[in-house]
Amino acid sequence: MSDTENKAITSNSPSIVVYWLADSRADRILLLLEELELPYVIQKFERGPDKLAPAELKKIHPLGKSPVIKDGDKVVAESGFIIDYLISKYGKEKHLKPTNEEDLFQYNYFLHYIEGSLMPILVMKYIFLNLQKQAPWLVKPVVNGICNKIDQLYLGPNIRAHLDFLEGELKQRKWLAGEQFSGADIQASFTLEMLLKRSNANEENVPNLSRYVAAMRERPAYKRAMEKVGKSCIAE
């Protein structure tokens, strides 16, 4: 593992390994670790031609998904759980989880909304886009017709609804859970960049959401996290 993938780990520091998969939510865990200023190492995995995670990841966790981390002898999976686990264990002085009732309410809501409501729609959008790309030429017109109809009747309207919802929320607050950057924003980082990319929305259509993503990308921790994996932004 290269020096750029490591931070010096002392006997008094947590020894965290991030099992990072290309084009996955694992980027948000790097962002969190950089915000927490914790030492960690990255083990990188690439997707195969089928776009799936390699079988080697099942040696880390039976589901073979990413993100997954190892903290000492604990293997921790699922983005929301990883975020809550690391903030609770190491981040009490970093103020990444609100303490006042209203902001905490928003924090908990968005921590679950991102993966529970928004991400499934984006995953479906991704699947249908890839289906169109990979369809044999003989059936491509039929596949394109079906996928376009699903996009028109279901995916498009749902994506628009999420854009409108988030635009309205971010008109009221700088960050998802208030005026303070939090773990909810870390959970949202990957997903909201992908939402803008998949919807072809722009600053004119969604000025508050665009402002939010731009502010995320300007955070020093974000830039350090992306540098670690040779990217300029999550939605690259």
Side-chain angles (χ1 to χ4, degrees), residues 3 26-27 31 33 46 57-58 74 128 132 138 157 164 169 172 174 178 200 202 209 226:
D3 290 340
D27 285 344
L31 171 56
L33 289 165
E46 297 295 331
L57 267 173
K58 289 189 175 181
K74 282 189 173 67
F128 283 113
Q132 288 178 280
L138 191 62
D164 291 343
E169 291 295 304
Q172 303 174 55
K174 180 178 180 180
N200 295 316
N202 55 44
L209 182 54
M226 293 301 97

Side-chain angles (χ1 to χ4, degrees), residues 7-8 13-14 16 30-40 90-91 93-94 96 221 224:
K7 283 187 177 181
S13 300
I16 297 171
L30 302 185
L31 171 56
L32 172 60
L33 289 165
E34 291 294 336
E35 290 283 354
L36 292 172
E37 299 182 287
L38 291 175
Y40 64 94
Y90 301 115
E93 297 180 0
K94 295 294 184 179
L96 288 173
R224 293 195 304 270

Side-chain angles (χ1 to χ4, degrees), residues 33-176:
L33 289 165
E34 291 294 336
E35 290 283 354
L36 292 172
E37 299 182 287
L38 291 175
Y40 64 94
V41 295
I42 303 172
Q43 287 193 16
K44 294 181 179 178
F45 295 84
E46 297 295 331
R47 295 183 182 273
D50 57 4
K51 304 296 184 182
L52 298 177
E56 289 88 345
L57 267 173
K58 289 189 175 181
K59 297 176 183 177
I60 312 303
H61 188 280
L63 293 179
K65 303 293 185 182
S66 178
V68 62
I69 68 169
K70 191 170 185 180
D71 180 21
D73 60 354
K74 282 189 173 67
V75 174
V76 189
E78 297 297 336
S79 295
F81 182 46
I82 294 171
I83 290 169
D84 213 33
Y85 168 83
L86 290 174
I87 290 175
S88 296
K89 187 172 181 179
Y90 301 115
K92 289 183 173 63
E93 297 180 0
K94 295 294 184 179
H95 309 294
L96 288 173
K97 186 172 183 177
T99 54
N100 73 73
E101 186 176 350
E102 178 57 29
D103 289 355
L104 185 59
F105 178 87
Q106 298 293 344
Y107 173 91
N108 286 320
Y109 171 74
F110 281 106
L111 202 65
H112 294 281
Y113 157 82
I114 293 297
E115 287 293 323
S117 294
L118 179 54
M119 199 65 202
I121 297 295
L122 295 180
V123 169
M124 286 184 66
K125 178 79 171 179
Y126 175 79
I127 289 171
F128 283 113
L129 285 172
N130 276 292
L131 187 61
Q132 288 178 280
K133 290 177 183 177
Q134 296 176 17
W137 68 269
L138 191 62
V139 297
K140 189 175 281 289
V142 175
V143 171
N144 285 344
I146 293 171
C147 291
N148 289 338
K149 198 66 175 177
I150 292 171
D151 191 66
Q152 177 188 348
L153 295 177
Y154 180 71
L155 296 178
N158 272 279
I159 287 174
R160 184 69 251 175
H162 283 289
L163 285 168
D164 291 343
F165 168 66
L166 289 162
E167 182 66 12
E169 291 295 304
L170 290 168
K171 187 177 182 179
Q172 303 174 55
R173 301 181 294 277
K174 180 178 180 180
W175 300 103
L176 288 175

